[in-house]
């Protein structure tokens, strides 16, 4: 099997994506399928097999009616627009990586370090003084990586969350995303969009034993350790900073994307203080707002399913999953995970 066939974030073959979510968000009017956990077509009401949030999304006032649905073509077009609007991304001269060993499917799980050198040969750290980078980096030390340990959020950490959201919303990229979502009747104002981003990404929930120990942001960008393994951790900036400190050890890669500029995509194996990540994935060289915006779009448009995008003429997909055990607001879902897949 070729390495690009793997889903980078999950290590399973394409076509083995999980069953559809238990939500009608983005699914109103979908044809009936026996494989679906619950249904969102017009007849589900009389057949008593609708998803619990059918009325909210597909009722007369729902935002997932056919005119407001987000089509596959719109996702391809918008992702190209967001790619072009990533003005804070790294230039080719800003980053030099050394991928070294290309791991085959039988090598990703054996925990062998086949790359003696670090992944990052050089990063121009002037990037990190840009407002979105600087506010993003301040968030990374706000978390306890072990699941099952309660996260205590200080007033300063709340201000850091607000600052990051303020800075990303100043960018052309996030403004484009908001205008698109507003046009689809997802949000009536930028303030409503901001508040929802804050809840879906930073709202706490329990991955452990009832403790409020996790959030979408922590899992995706900062990384966690669960049952002795690295969980999440899909961000290149976090990886670079920890590799520089000597606490992350790069082992190999199983996919290197086709891009000859940044952002690029890498599937990789590594250890974090001795905890192993068998098949991780990351955009390389993108700005924080690009990754944050793209994952948010896919979570809103295709929660629980593959979200097919286009960057610089190359196809790729993002997988997101909603957290199903708790909600916020009127039944909205937190982000459980989000990661880039192979094209």
């Amino acid at each position: 099997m070729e390495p690009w066939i793997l889903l980078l974030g999950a290590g399973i073959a394409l076509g083995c994506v999980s069953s559809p979510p238990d939500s009608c968000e983005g699914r109103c009017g979908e044809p009936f399928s026996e494989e679906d956990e619950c249904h969102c077509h017009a007849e589900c009401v009389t057949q008593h097999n609708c998803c619990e949030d059918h009325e909210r999304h597909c009722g007369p006032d729902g935002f997932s009616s056919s005119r407001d649905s987000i089509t596959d073509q719109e996702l391809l077009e918008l992702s190209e627009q967001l790619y072009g609007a990533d003005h804070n991304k790294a230039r080719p001269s800003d980053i030099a990586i050394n991928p070294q060993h290309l791991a085959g499917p039988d090598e990703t799980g054996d925990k062998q370090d086949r790359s003696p050198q670090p992944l990052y040969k050089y990063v121009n750290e002037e990037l990190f003084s840009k407002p979105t980078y600087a506010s993003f980096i301040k968030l990374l030390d706000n978390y306890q990586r072990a699941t099952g340990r309660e996260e205590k959020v200080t007033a300063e950490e709340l201000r850091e969350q607000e600052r990051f959201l303020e800075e990303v919303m100043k960018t052309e990229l996030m403004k484009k995303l908001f205008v698109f979502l507003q046009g689809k009747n997802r949000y009536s104002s930028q303030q409503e969009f901001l508040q929802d981003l804050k809840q879906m990404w930073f709202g706490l929930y329990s991955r452990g034993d009832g403790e409020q120990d996790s959030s979408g942001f922590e899992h995706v960008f900062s990384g966690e350790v669960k049952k002795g393994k690295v969980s999440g951790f899909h961000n290149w900036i976090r990886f670079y900073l920890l590799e520089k400190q000597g606490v992350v050890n790069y082992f190999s890669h199983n996919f290197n994307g086709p891009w000859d500029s940044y952002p690029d995509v890498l599937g990789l194996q590594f250890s974090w203080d001795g905890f192993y990540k068998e098949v991780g994935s990351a955009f390389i060289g993108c700005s924080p707002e690009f990754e944050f915006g793209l994952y948010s779009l896919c979570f809103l448009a295709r929660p629980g399913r593959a979200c097919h995008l286009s960057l610089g003429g190359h196809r790729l997909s993002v997988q997101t999953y909603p957290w199903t055990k708790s909600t916020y607001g009127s039944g909205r879902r937190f982000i459980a995970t989000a990661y880039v897949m192979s094209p």
Side-chain angles (χ1 to χ4, degrees):
M1 182 186 294
E2 293 296 323
W4 59 267
I5 295 177
L6 297 178
L7 294 191
L8 296 186
I12 56 177
L14 284 173
C16 298
V17 179
S18 77
S19 57
D22 58 348
S23 168
C24 280
E25 189 165 359
R27 294 177 56 206
C28 297
E30 265 191 0
F32 174 82
S33 170
E34 289 185 356
E35 296 180 358
D36 290 347
E37 297 175 17
C38 57
H39 304 280
C40 308
H41 54 86
E43 292 76 32
C44 74
V45 177
T46 56
Q47 295 172 5
H48 307 292
N49 57 8
C50 298
C51 299
E52 288 184 10
D53 61 1
H54 176 267
E55 178 64 25
R56 183 166 77 87
H57 290 301
C58 308
D61 300 320
F63 58 59
S64 293
S65 61
S66 58
R67 72 180 184 278
D68 296 332
S69 64
I70 299 173
T71 68
D72 290 346
Q73 185 60 35
E74 285 173 327
L75 286 173
L76 294 174
E77 293 171 359
L78 180 59
S79 54
E80 284 288 4
Q81 292 174 24
L82 299 181
Y83 179 76
D86 189 12
H87 305 307
N88 286 329
K89 67 184 177 185
R91 298 163 300 181
S93 60
D94 286 331
I95 299 176
I97 63 172
N98 184 16
Q100 300 165 82
H101 183 76
L102 177 62
D106 58 339
E107 293 179 325
T108 59
D110 63 12
K111 303 184 182 180
Q112 296 299 309
D113 182 359
R114 294 182 169 89
S115 301
Q117 302 300 316
L119 174 61
Y120 287 92
K121 291 197 290 188
Y122 170 74
V123 171
N124 177 8
E125 294 193 9
E126 288 182 13
L127 283 170
F128 300 160
S129 64
K130 293 175 182 281
T132 57
Y133 285 80
S135 57
F136 173 83
I137 290 169
K138 279 189 175 295
L139 294 169
L140 295 176
D141 64 357
N142 290 354
Y143 301 101
Q144 304 205 45
R145 68 183 181 188
T147 57
R149 295 177 63 184
E150 184 177 4
E151 295 289 349
K152 292 181 168 53
V153 183
T154 67
E156 181 181 1
E157 289 169 354
L158 286 173
R159 285 193 296 271
E160 289 174 352
Q161 293 174 10
E162 298 277 1
R163 177 69 185 275
F164 171 71
L165 291 169
E166 288 171 8
E167 292 299 342
V168 297
M169 285 308 302
K170 291 176 185 176
T171 65
E172 180 189 343
L173 188 154
M174 289 296 288
K175 287 176 180 175
K176 277 183 181 292
L177 176 58
F178 166 69
V179 168
F180 174 80
L181 293 171
Q182 185 182 41
K184 292 292 182 179
N185 293 316
R186 302 300 173 103
Y187 301 100
S188 59
S189 68
Q190 187 168 304
Q191 186 58 32
E192 183 188 354
F193 180 43
L194 258 179
Q195 285 304 114
D196 199 35
L197 286 173
K198 184 175 182 181
Q199 286 293 329
M200 74 171 73
W201 279 106
F202 294 104
L204 294 174
Y205 50 82
S206 173
R207 288 184 196 264
D209 302 316
E211 303 286 354
Q212 299 290 88
D213 62 349
S214 187
S215 68
F217 187 92
E218 177 185 5
H219 181 85
V220 173
F221 295 106
S222 183
E224 298 180 297
V225 171
K226 184 176 182 180
K227 296 180 179 177
K229 295 181 179 180
V230 176
S231 182
F233 197 144
H234 298 287
N235 180 255
W236 76 270
I237 300 167
R238 173 71 160 166
F239 190 100
Y240 165 74
L241 292 172
L242 291 182
E243 185 179 59
K244 184 181 174 184
Q245 293 173 25
V247 296
V248 159
N249 180 19
Y250 170 73
F251 279 22
S252 56
H253 70 288
N254 61 294
F255 173 80
N256 196 345
W259 293 268
D260 55 11
S261 62
Y262 296 115
D264 198 355
V265 176
L266 196 69
L268 66 166
Q269 292 69 51
F270 62 92
S271 72
W272 179 17
D273 267 348
F275 300 102
Y276 189 60
K277 182 75 174 180
E278 181 173 339
V279 184
S281 63
F283 285 107
I284 308 292
C286 66
S287 69
E289 62 266 27
F290 174 83
E291 206 169 2
F292 189 75
L294 215 61
Y295 289 160
S296 299
L297 168 65
C298 285
F299 182 70
L300 292 166
R302 300 289 186 270
R305 291 178 287 168
C307 176
H308 303 303
L309 310 173
S310 178
L311 302 183
H314 295 288
R315 296 292 181 95
L316 83 165
S317 301
V318 161
Q319 178 74 43
T320 67
Y321 288 103
W323 185 253
T324 59
K325 297 178 182 178
S326 56
T327 60
Y328 67 91
S330 54
R332 297 194 178 203
R333 303 288 194 186
F334 300 104
I335 290 176
T337 192
Y339 54 84
V340 60
M341 298 156 61
S342 60

